Amino acid sequence: MTEKLIRKDENTIEVPIGYKAGMRVPGLIYLNAQLEKFLEPQAVAQVANVSTLPGIVGYSLAMPDIHTGYGFPIGGVAAFDLNEGIISPGGVGYDINCGVRLLRSNLTKQEVLPHIKDLVAAIYANVPSGVGSKGKIKLTPDEQKNVVLKGALWALEQGMGSDSDLEKTESEGMMTGVDETSISEKAYERGRNQMGTLGSGNHFIEIQYVSEIFNEKAAQAFGLFEGQVTVMIHTGSRGLGHQVCTDFLPIMERASKKYGIELYDRELACAPFHSQEAERYFSAMKGAANYAWANRQSIMHLVSESFIAALRGSPSSIGLSLVYDVAHNIAKEETHRVGKRDVRLIVHRKGATRAFPAGHPELPDIYRAVGQPVLIPGDMGRASFILIGTQDAMAETYGSTCHGAGRLLSRHGAIKAAKGRQIWKELLDAGVTVTSAGRGTLAEEMPEAYKNINNVISVVDSARISQKVAMLKPIGVVKG
DNA sequence: ATGTCC
C-alpha cells in the first residue's frame, strides 16, 4: 500500500487521492528519508481516512512525529470549513489540551547542579504524580465552574502566578464560549481533586539548561541565555478532559449517522460544526482546555515554591517566570488564507503545535516581532527544543508544527527492552536525576523508546514550518 | 492519555 506514496521533496510525502477510498483531498506528511523507515502503514491509512471527512480544506496533514492514534493520527493537523465541515473528538484526542509550558530562571546550570537532588525531591513532593494522583487543591462545585470558564485566570485569582502570565499563554489560557452544563457530572467528579497534579505516561516536569542557541534575537526576546536553567512542564486536563472525550464519542457516533456522514473508520465519529452536538462538544472541549491551562498554571506555582525551598533562595534571585505555554491537543477556530480569501476554519491539532509567525495578531506584543515560541519536548535523556513559528507554516500547515519526538517502541516493547536494567541509574550516569511515581513508567519512557528528537526537529526546521531558537538539555526529571 | 475494564 505504501508504494503508492509520492515523495515530493526531501521533507514531504504526498498521500494521493485514491490511496484509499473516499478521499476528498490528498494527504501530506512532513518526513525525511530517515524517519520514513519508521512510518507505520496504519498511521498513513489514518491520514487518508481523515481526508474523507466533509469540509476538509487543503490537505490532511501530518508532522514528522506521526504515529497511529485514535481515528486521527498523532501528529495530525486537519482544517475544516466552518459551514461545510465537522468537528471530531478523535481529532483532538483523549488528553484535551495536553501541552507544554516553559519557565526561564536567573540561575545557571552550575548554580543548580549541587542542589539537583533536593530540587527534584521537592518538586516530586509538591506536585502529585502518577495515575489517579490527587492534589492538595480541592475544588468545590462553584470553583470547578470557574476553572472551566476562566482557565489560567482562575489560578491567578488564587494567587498562583502574575497577570503577565496570561499573555504568555496560547489563547491567554482561556477559551471563551464555554457552557458549563456541556461537561458531565462524572467529568467534574474526576477533575475535582486533580488540579495541580501531573498525571502519568509521557507527562513530566523537567529541569533543563540552555545548551545551544541558534537564533540570538529570538532567544533574547524569550529571556534565554546559554547555560541558563529552564523548567518544562508537560501535562493536560487529567481525568476531566479524558471523561469529556469518553462522553462525546458515542454522541458523535450517533450524530454521524443522524447527519448522514459516511465514516470510513468509526473512530472518526464527528458532527457538522454548526450542529447542536458539535456545539456541545466544542464547549466541553474548551472547558477541558481551560482546566488544563489552570493545571499548568497551578503546577508552575508549585514548582516555584519547590525552587525557593530547595535552593533557599528568594523569588527574585531565582527569577522563575513564564516564557510560553502551548496546547498540542486541541481544535480551534482560526482565520487562514485559502486561495485568495481569508476564511474561518476549525483547525484540529492532535499532537501538533501551533506555530504562528512574527506579526500575527494573536501573538502578544512582546513576541510579535520574532514569532510565537514553539515548545517541543524530546525525551528524558537527549534534548528538547524551542523554535519560532513562520510564514511558511501559515501558508502550508495552518500555522502548525510537530509536538515531540514520537514513540519508537510500544509501551510493552519498551518494558521488555528495559528488563533487568536500572533506567534511573543509566540516566543518573548520563547526568539526569530522575524520580518517577509509576514503576513501569520509567521503562516505558526511557530515551530509546523514542525517536531521536534531532531528526524530527531537522525536518520542521529545514521545511521551514518552524525555525530553531535553542536546544535544552535535561538535568532533572519528575515523571508520572 | 486514562480511577490503564463498570
Side-chain angles (χ1 to χ4, degrees):
Chain A
M1 201 62 186
T2 44
E3 71 271 13
K4 283 201 268 176
L5 298 176
I6 301 163
R7 179 155 286 283
K8 305 244 295 185
D9 57 39
E10 68 170 314
N11 293 312
T12 51
I13 291 173
E14 184 176 313
V15 186
I17 291 181
Y19 181 86
K20 283 195 76 186
M23 289 176 71
R24 294 167 192 259
V25 297
L28 189 65
I29 306 174
Y30 285 76
L31 209 61
N32 61 18
Q34 198 170 3
L35 288 167
E36 192 177 347
K37 288 182 274 186
F38 307 120
L39 182 60
E40 305 160 303
Q42 202 187 338
V44 182
Q46 291 184 327
V47 171
N49 288 342
V50 169
S51 87
T52 67
L53 293 171
I56 188 163
V57 177
Y59 287 97
S60 169
L61 296 157
M63 298 298 132
D65 46 342
I66 180 172
H67 52 283
T68 306
Y70 182 91
F72 289 55
I74 294 156
V77 177
F80 300 86
D81 183 272
L82 288 194
N83 295 312
E84 317 283 320
I86 53 87
I87 189 168
S88 173
V92 173
Y94 274 92
D95 191 2
I96 295 166
N97 191 6
C98 186
V100 180
R101 173 171 290 230
L102 184 76
L103 318 182
R104 65 171 302 287
S105 78
N106 289 341
L107 305 169
T108 63
K109 177 191 174 190
Q110 284 70 27
E111 289 170 311
V112 171
L113 270 180
H115 308 280
I116 191 69
K117 209 177 153 199
D118 288 345
L119 189 50
V120 169
I123 293 172
Y124 185 72
N126 279 333
V127 185
S129 314
V131 180
S133 47
K134 291 177 184 174
K136 285 172 275 195
I137 306 164
K138 308 264 187 261
L139 301 170
T140 65
D142 274 356
E143 283 171 321
Q144 286 256 62
K145 184 177 156 186
N146 275 328
V147 168
V148 300
L149 290 175
K150 294 181 175 178
L153 176 61
W154 169 85
L156 291 193
E157 288 175 353
Q158 312 304 305
M160 298 188 286
S162 64
D163 291 350
S164 65
D165 293 346
L166 297 183
E167 64 169 351
K168 298 173 193 161
T169 304
E170 187 175 322
S171 298
E172 287 76 53
M174 173 173 66
M175 289 179 88
T176 56
V178 176
D179 169 1
E180 72 273 11
T181 70
S182 61
I183 296 172
S184 70
E185 278 310 311
K186 199 171 179 181
Y188 281 121
E189 182 50 47
R190 288 181 66 176
R192 196 145 291 158
N193 299 321
Q194 293 190 322
M195 186 49 62
T197 69
L198 190 60
S200 181
N202 63 6
H203 292 165
F204 65 77
I205 298 168
E206 188 170 286
I207 302 152
Q208 320 163 314
Y209 69 95
V210 178
S211 66
E212 194 174 350
I213 286 175
F214 310 100
N215 179 333
E216 269 300 337
K217 184 186 165 197
Q220 206 161 30
F222 300 160
L224 302 172
F225 57 89
E226 220 170 293
Q228 174 188 30
V229 164
T230 58
V231 181
M232 192 172 264
I233 298 165
H234 178 204
T235 185
S237 52
R238 310 287 289 105
L240 184 140
H242 190 275
Q243 189 62 43
V244 165
C245 184
T246 303
D247 288 338
F248 275 92
L249 284 171
I251 295 170
M252 293 308 229
E253 210 168 321
R254 284 195 297 276
S256 305
K257 277 203 192 83
K258 175 176 161 190
Y259 297 105
I261 299 167
E262 188 183 357
L263 296 183
Y264 286 79
D265 174 356
R266 63 183 291 191
E267 293 182 358
L268 297 173
C270 60
F273 186 69
H274 289 306
S275 68
Q276 178 265 124
E277 293 88 343
E279 278 171 15
R280 204 94 182 130
Y281 168 70
F282 196 34
S283 162
M285 186 220 74
K286 289 189 281 191
N290 290 345
Y291 184 101
W293 275 310
N295 191 30
R296 291 197 289 274
Q297 182 73 39
S298 302
I299 289 175
M300 172 179 166
H301 178 73
L302 298 171
V303 166
S304 298
E305 289 187 334
S306 308
F307 265 75
I308 292 165
L311 301 176
R312 296 184 182 81
S314 68
S316 61
S317 66
I318 292 167
L320 273 187
S321 65
L322 183 55
V323 174
Y324 206 63
D325 179 307
V326 294
H328 57 222
N329 280 6
I330 204 157
K332 293 173 113 179
E333 280 182 78
E334 293 171 2
T335 302
H336 289 276
R337 178 58 60 105
V338 177
K340 290 183 174 158
R341 288 190 315 132
D342 280 339
V343 291
R344 292 291 284 171
L345 300 173
I346 178 78
V347 181
H348 294 63
R349 295 190 183 91
K350 181 192 193 175
T353 312
R354 198 186 73 174
F356 281 174
H360 193 284
E362 282 198 41
L363 297 191
D365 293 344
I366 46 165
Y367 298 149
R368 193 162 300 135
V370 289
Q372 182 208 303
V374 170
L375 312 173
I376 310 297
D379 62 71
M380 290 188 280
R382 275 179 284 228
S384 296
F385 284 84
I386 308 173
L387 299 91
I388 42 172
T390 62
Q391 291 293 350
D392 285 5
M394 278 321 267
E396 296 177 24
T397 59
Y398 303 107
S400 313
T401 188
C402 64
H403 89 306
R407 285 200 85 88
L408 189 58
L409 303 178
S410 67
R411 288 174 192 279
H412 181 74
I415 288 172
K416 229 173 102 177
K419 218 175 159 80
R421 290 163 55 185
Q422 292 179 297
I423 303 301
W424 67 270
K425 181 77 166 54
E426 290 178 25
L427 284 163
L428 187 64
D429 290 344
V432 186
T433 301
V434 55
T435 302
S436 172
R439 252 194 316 242
T441 310
L442 219 50
E444 290 174 4
E445 295 294 316
M446 67 178 174
E448 70 196 65
Y450 282 89
K451 285 175 247 177
N452 189 337
I453 185 69
N454 291 287
N455 290 343
V456 173
I457 296 297
S458 134
V459 172
V460 297
D461 186 73
S462 119
R464 301 188 63 86
I465 55 172
S466 45
Q467 294 274 276
K468 287 197 287 187
V469 173
M471 177 161 63
L472 310 168
K473 289 201 166 165
I475 54 175
V477 186
V478 172
K479 287 293 300 181

